[in-house]
Amino acid sequence: MPKSVLLLWLEGHLQSWGYDSKFGVRETLPFPTKSGVIGLICCALGEKDPQDDFLKELASSTMEVKAYKNKFNDKTEQGLSLIMRDFQTIGTNYDESDPFKNLMIPKKSDGTKPVGSGAVLTYRYAIQNGKFAVFLEYEKDLAQAVYKALQKPRWDLYLGRKSYIPTEFIAQGIFNSKEEASQKLRQLAEIKKLTEDFSVVEGKNCDDCDVLLLNDVPVSFGRRKSYANRYVSIIKKED
């Protein structure tokens, strides 16, 4: 069956693509993760629960990411690895008479409530003003279904966290080849006055670039999430 290439555009004031998040510290990579992008697609389609077989189909595509930065008078500003750290408190203003809300109140190691409000300070990291293109290749029928869902999503779409909303249409086109999708991307970057900063490709693709091992290939969603590993290479765009 013939395949099609999807071009996604992820742009927003804030984005967060977690890879090693703990309860009190929520990290982000400087680019979208595969689990984050596929989770976004599942939101658009209205898919929930583990979805093991469907996730395997979605994760079968290699994913390439291109990061962009603004261009002014043939000079470029600082790259997009601008990470913001936000401080948030949790654990306050819960109704203790509500059994579910009572579970949200942070407890001490012995299970009792702390003296005072019980608020816990958390650290949450986010990318500021990120602009990313994502290439995905699927069989034509699946690509069409994903593309239509992104145009008219069943659930709200967001860039890693529910408060981080996109400021541009995510679905930028469905194409017969990577070359056609790249041509569309060049036009989009020219309109927005952007220049490529770096790209993220799957596998170990070069000797002089950064290679990361990421645990971001979704195997099962739902209450018990599980992920598989993949290597990615970060290739800096030469000026």
Side-chain angles (χ1 to χ4, degrees), residues 34-209:
K34 194 165 193 175
S35 56
V37 171
I38 292 178
L40 187 151
I41 291 173
C42 287
C43 281
L45 292 166
E47 300 289 350
K48 58 181 180 179
D49 299 324
Q51 294 293 342
D52 296 5
D53 293 337
F54 187 54
L55 284 178
K56 184 177 181 180
E57 187 176 8
L58 289 176
S60 64
S61 170
T62 57
M63 187 176 89
E64 180 178 348
V65 176
K66 290 184 179 294
Y68 284 82
K69 57 187 178 181
N70 293 331
K71 177 173 61 176
F72 298 107
N73 299 324
D74 297 328
K75 294 182 180 180
T76 58
E77 66 175 6
Q78 185 69 25
L80 287 179
S81 299
L82 300 174
I83 306 297
M84 178 193 76
R85 182 171 66 175
D86 187 24
F87 300 98
Q88 297 183 19
T89 56
I90 61 173
T92 59
N93 298 322
Y94 287 111
D95 181 2
E96 294 187 31
S97 64
D98 185 315
F100 178 77
K101 292 184 178 180
N102 187 51
L103 292 174
M104 302 296 113
I105 301 174
K107 310 293 194 305
K108 297 193 295 184
S109 60
D110 61 3
T112 61
K113 298 184 184 68
V115 177
S117 66
V120 174
L121 182 64
T122 64
Y123 304 83
R124 308 195 181 212
Y125 294 80
I127 306 166
Q128 300 181 78
N129 299 317
K131 304 172 183 69
F132 303 98
V134 177
F135 296 98
L136 294 168
E137 186 177 20
Y138 293 121
E139 291 186 353
K140 189 173 182 179
D141 289 346
L142 177 58
Q144 287 283 1
V146 170
Y147 181 65
K148 290 179 180 179
L150 289 170
Q151 290 181 307
K152 191 176 180 181
R154 183 171 179 183
W155 297 333
D156 293 338
L157 303 182
Y158 47 88
L159 305 177
R161 294 194 186 121
K162 290 186 178 180
S163 58
Y164 296 171
I165 60 175
T167 57
E168 177 61 274
F169 292 112
I170 291 176
Q172 288 292 327
I174 183 170
F175 305 90
N176 293 322
S177 66
K178 173 75 178 299
E179 290 72 21
E180 290 182 11
S182 297
Q183 183 177 357
K184 168 66 176 181
L185 179 57
R186 287 191 291 269
Q187 294 172 352
L188 182 63
E190 186 64 28
I191 291 172
K192 290 179 172 289
K193 295 181 171 59
L194 301 173
T195 184
E196 185 180 334
D197 188 10
F198 63 88
S199 61
V200 183
V201 297
E202 294 192 355
K204 303 176 183 179
N205 287 279
C206 59
D207 296 328
D208 58 349
C209 61

